[in-house]
Structures are given as structure tokens and as C-alpha cells.
Amino acid sequence: MYSYKERSHIFNTLNSYAFDVLVIGGGITGAGIALDAASRGLSVALVEMQDFAAGTSSRSTKLVHGGLRYLKQFEVGLVADVGREREIVYENAVHVTKPEWMLLPIYKEGSLGSVTTSVALRLYDRLANVRKDERRKMLSKKETLDKVPFLKTEGLKGAGYYVEYKTDDARLTMEVIKKAVEYKAVCINYARVTDFVYKKKKIVAATVKDEISGDTITIHAHQIVNATGAWIEDVQALDQAQKKKQLRLTKGIHIVIDQSVLPLEQAVYFDTEDERMVFAIPRDGKTYVGTTDTFFEDDPINPTATSEDVEYLIEAINFIFPEQNVVAQHVESTWAGVRPLIYEDGKNPSEISRKDEIWTSKSGLMTIAGGKLTGYRKMAEEIVDKIVKKNRFKHATNCITQVLALSGAKGLNSKNFEDYIKNKAKVGESLGFSYEDAKALTAKYGTNVDDVFIHAKNHSADLNLPLALYAELSYSIEKEMAYTPSDFFIRRTGMLYFDIATVEQYKSAVVDLMSNTIGYSDTEKLIYQTQLDLFIDDAKNPK
């Protein structure tokens, strides 16, 4: 069980044992470290001060991609590493990751010419060990316009055509967390590290506050890892013997537009007028566009898009799709994420390397920073490799995550998943779901879908919730530690970004059901309702 009902038990368990490893941070990096360590036989605890994936790991471009643009910066090693990881992430979690053919238009005035693009994509294929059926193709002008008829034609010479991988970043994080729990990792959200405990100048424990109950405990661990992303410096500041590296936060935003306005059926990766690269990607009847790249100096707890950010992306859209005449009123929702990058003097946001770095302070606190979503598994392997070199951890086995199916993916692969979806959709249909809803649930939850279906058994019309939405909500509370309506609508489903109308339609019913199920106090219910309303306002109304 990984339920809100187990919260007190989980919290007390953290207070009862000395763990091999304590991971601070429940984003994709921390989740990956917890899974790698636990699957090697280490005892692992993980604490996250917000909800799992509430930081950058639910606010990315939602691509497991190889970073083609880094070839322009000659970061060949980075492209090779993350490029090879794409397929591993995909095969280990086919229900949350899938191939997406990307169109890279080539213009006379663009930053990449036909020859350069062809060579770069060929090199990309080689560095990333791209499978044969996904290797790059070069398209003529006509072939390019056949795929996107409303693309800017002036100066168009053709396009490169290559594969990236589309994902749901927050759900990927959730499936990694759940797999770590299968390996006996003890993971909890809304638990903040407030201090460290020392013995002979070495950190031996962390003081942790439950942000929901207010209770405080001490978690003992032989190795503590700071994987808190944008909050790395805050955790380092608690360390008396801190070894600091200066971070530079940059912000990226995305906007979501209905496909009736921007009817894109083909993902496009294009040059802007200021020679940045922007993605436009179709998803579930919407098209989302991003990202920006600007330095960020504010509190990273809830970054938001500004009207200036949105206008930049609208100008980019109208530059590459001049017939569509997109305006700010067409934007249904937005989100913003903060990238924690290692500071490099004199470089603008887009030039700073996305490489990860690991360092250890004199007190023994290990910190990992930088990196990309795509490389989360390899980053985890690297840091756990360093941990298990210590004599204390001789019982650890070798890393197995390269071939370890995540939660919801056992027995599934790229060849059988589509048939699995169709078969399970028929099962869902026999249980009262529409065929399309059952199909969508299977595609999202993989082999966990039977459990989602079971959670529909207590559905009734007076709940004012559709059957599929009720099943997802019940499952997220009982099996994915969702505690607030925002956890559900943002991290467990992504609805606030891609179906905000449904969020507004059913938000009151969801708040009521969660309150009745979990047992909110009147104050908690008001707080969580207000919090969700603020997130909706931030998404709809850039300031």
C-alpha cells in the first residue's frame, strides 16, 4: 500500500531505523537515486518537502530527448550520454514515454543549413545509437509542407526529420517512486529537512518536519544525498561544513493552445527570430509550445509565466506559422519551470551546460546538481556507484536499472503495448467505462490499470464525477500518496495544463471527495481549495 492512510505509519518508520541512504528531494533525480540504491539492496529513505515532482519534474517540456541543440555548443559527450538514455527510459516505461517524430524546418536565413542539419542529425543518430527505423530523414520542401501545410514558406528549403521521445514528466517520476517503494524504499511527500545532526563533525541524521501534521522526527542514515534541484543551496546552507557550488536558476515557460486554433498534428522544433530553438508539440487535442530561457532570481517554489514570456512564444508561433494569427486570448493555460544549472561566468541562460555534477562536503553530505530529465537514470547510477564504494555498503549489488521496468510496465515493451491497450480497453468497457476512457487509462497507467479499474467500484452518480475521473482520483489517493487537489490535477493527471476546463468543472467535487476520504479539517479544506484556485489563476492569467 502507498496510501494517505499509511502516512503516519510511514513517517514513524522513518523515525525507527537507521538507513543506508537518505535522499532529500522527490523530483526525478531523487526518485532515480532512491530506486537505484534500493534495487541494489540498500535501505533507503526519501523525503520531499512538497509533493513528488512538484518542482522542475512536473514543469519541463515533457520530452525525453537527446539535446540536439547541444551539438551546436559542441557538447558531444552530453549528447551521447542522454541520447543513449532515451531508449532505456522508453523501454522501461512504455506507458509514460513514446516516440515522437520531430520536424526541423530548414530556412535560407536559419541557423542550420541543409548540409549542417543532415550532418548534425547523422552524428546525433550515431552518438545516441538510434534504432534503424528511427534514424533521421531529410525532407524536400514539398514533403515538409505535406506534414505541416501552414508552416512559413518564405525561404523554406526542406526539413530534417528525426525522433525524440514524448513523456509525462510527473507521471514518470511517480512510477520511479512507486518502483522504489516496491524495493522497500520508504518515501514520503510533504516532509521538509530543517536541520542536520552531527557526530565527530560528520552528518549522521536529518531533522524532518511533517508539513501536514507539524510533527518532527530524526532520520538516521549513513549517507545523505541532497537532490533538491532549485533548493540545493537551501539544503547546503544547513550543512556546517558545506562545500558550495554556485547555482544559476533559469526559467522556461510553456503555453497550451487548442488544436482548433493551432491544428498541429506533427511536432515541430524550430528556430525563432532571435535564433533560439522552440518546440511545438501536439498532445490530446492541444498544442503546447515552449520553452523560454531567462535567468530567474525569485523564490522557485511557484514560478509562473509572465505576459512578456507568453508574448515571446506567441511571436515565435506567428513567425513560423504565419497563417494562424495566434493571440494571447487563445492561450488556455501556461506553466513555468526552473532549471538549476551550475553557474558559468559570462554565459547566457541558453549557453550554460546541462551537465550534472556531484560533490561531497567535509561533513559527508553528497550533492547532485544540473543534468536533464533524460539522464535521470544514469545520474542515479553514477552517484550510487560513488556511495557503494564505501566499505559499509559492501552488501550492495550492481546497478540493474538499465533493464528494470518501472511500476506499470512489467512485461510491456514497444512491440506489445498497443495490443495490450486494446485488450485492456475491452476489459474496462465491460466494467462500465467507455472504450475510449478505458483505452486512455490503460495508455497512462499500463499494468496498473486493473487497479485503477477496481477503484471505480464505489462510484455513484451523486458524487458529480465522471467514472474515469473518479477512478483516477481514488487510485491516486490510495496508491500514489496524493493528498491535495493540486497533487491530483497537476502531478497525477496533468489536467491543469492540458484540460483546464475539466479542472474548473469538477474542482469542487474533487475537493469534497478528497476532504471526505482523507478527513481534512475545515481549515485544510479551505487552504487546499484556495491553493488550487491560485494555481488555476496562475495558469490562465499570466501577470
Side-chain angles (χ1 to χ4, degrees), residues 315-460:
E315 288 179 5
I317 291 168
N318 289 328
F319 170 70
I320 200 71
F321 308 123
E323 299 174 11
Q324 301 314 115
N325 298 314
V326 174
V327 296
Q329 289 71 25
H330 290 140
V331 177
E332 293 186 351
S333 63
T334 66
W335 73 85
V338 174
R339 312 174 190 88
L341 306 176
I342 307 297
Y343 178 75
E344 295 180 65
D345 189 39
K347 289 195 174 183
N348 69 41
S350 296
E351 292 173 332
I352 297 177
S353 175
R354 269 54 173 171
K355 290 179 181 176
D356 61 281
E357 290 192 38
I358 300 167
W359 64 95
T360 305
S361 74
K362 291 180 180 179
S363 66
L365 177 68
M366 294 184 78
T367 298
I368 183 165
K372 291 165 54 61
L373 171 70
T374 309
Y376 87 88
R377 190 209 64 82
K378 189 67 176 176
M379 290 163 60
E381 181 180 355
E382 289 172 0
I383 198 167
V384 178
D385 278 348
K386 291 179 181 292
I387 292 171
V388 300
K389 285 180 179 178
K390 299 181 180 180
N391 287 334
R392 182 181 293 278
F393 303 121
K394 283 184 176 179
H395 60 288
T397 58
N398 293 329
C399 177
I400 62 171
T401 56
Q402 187 168 349
V403 292
L404 186 63
L406 299 185
S407 177
K410 188 174 182 179
L412 299 178
N413 56 53
S414 55
K415 295 177 181 177
N416 67 16
F417 188 42
E418 287 303 317
D419 286 339
Y420 181 84
I421 290 173
K422 293 173 185 175
N423 291 334
K424 282 297 179 182
K426 292 175 184 175
V427 173
E429 194 174 25
S430 72
L431 296 172
F433 293 87
S434 73
Y435 181 81
E436 288 305 316
D437 280 347
K439 191 175 176 182
L441 289 173
T442 306
K444 181 187 291 187
Y445 293 98
T447 59
N448 289 325
V449 76
D450 287 326
D451 215 350
V452 179
F453 289 159
I454 289 170
H455 278 82
K457 64 182 183 295
N458 293 324
H459 180 262
S460 63

Side-chain angles (χ1 to χ4, degrees), residues 298-315:
D298 297 329
D299 186 350
I301 200 75
N302 184 33
T304 57
T306 66
S307 54
E308 184 179 3
D309 294 329
V310 172
E311 189 56 40
Y312 173 86
L313 290 180
I314 289 174
E315 288 179 5

Side-chain angles (χ1 to χ4, degrees), residues 89-160:
V89 176
Y90 169 48
E91 290 293 352
N92 290 344
V94 292
H95 59 309
V96 287
T97 310
K98 67 176 183 178
E100 181 83 13
W101 280 95
M102 198 72 59
L103 189 76
L104 183 64
I106 300 167
Y107 288 92
K108 289 179 182 176
E109 74 277 15
S111 63
L112 289 174
S114 299
V115 175
T116 306
T117 300
S118 180
V119 171
L121 289 176
R122 187 183 294 274
L123 178 59
Y124 189 65
D125 284 345
R126 182 170 296 177
L127 290 171
N129 285 343
V130 174
R131 60 175 73 181
K132 191 173 182 179
D133 62 341
E134 293 182 356
R135 290 177 188 166
R136 71 98 174 93
K137 304 171 185 176
M138 298 304 296
L139 305 182
S140 67
K141 178 177 179 179
K142 180 182 183 304
E143 290 170 324
T144 302
L145 291 173
D146 284 344
K147 293 190 178 298
V148 186
F150 51 88
L151 199 64
K152 185 180 75 161
T153 57
E154 184 182 350
L156 179 65
K157 300 171 68 176

